[in-house]
Amino acid sequence: TGYNNYKTTVPKSARISVIDLSWVKFEQDRGWGNNVNLASVLSKAAAIQLEFTSSGDFFLASIGRLGTCY
């Protein structure tokens, strides 16, 4: 992707909540890097990277198939 990775944002919450994100919510930026088909990226993905843009408490209980982390 030329460092133009797929990404999305998660809404801030004042309480513990479940965030159920479909891969179709992830997008690449426009205008730079290499545009790569999402299915191709997912077929080769070995890790998920998290980036925090503000401070606060964070608790990750589970990452799983869509609709199974309740």
Side-chain angles (χ1 to χ4, degrees):
T1 63
Y3 299 98
N4 185 8
N5 298 319
Y6 277 87
K7 58 188 166 188
T8 191
T9 58
V10 176
K12 185 176 181 178
S13 177
R15 59 183 170 79
I16 294 175
S17 58
V18 174
I19 307 298
D20 204 17
L21 294 172
S22 168
W23 286 116
V24 297
K25 299 212 182 238
F26 288 73
E27 297 179 338
Q28 288 184 289
D29 289 330
R30 300 186 197 285
W32 71 278
N34 301 323
N35 290 323
V36 180
N37 178 283
L38 179 59
S40 176
V41 171
L42 292 174
S43 72
K44 299 172 185 161
I48 296 173
Q49 179 179 342
L50 304 174
E51 178 181 357
F52 298 90
T53 57
S54 62
S55 63
D57 293 331
F58 181 81
F59 174 68
L60 179 62
S62 169
I63 295 178
R65 289 187 172 277
L66 184 64
T68 65
C69 295
Y70 291 100

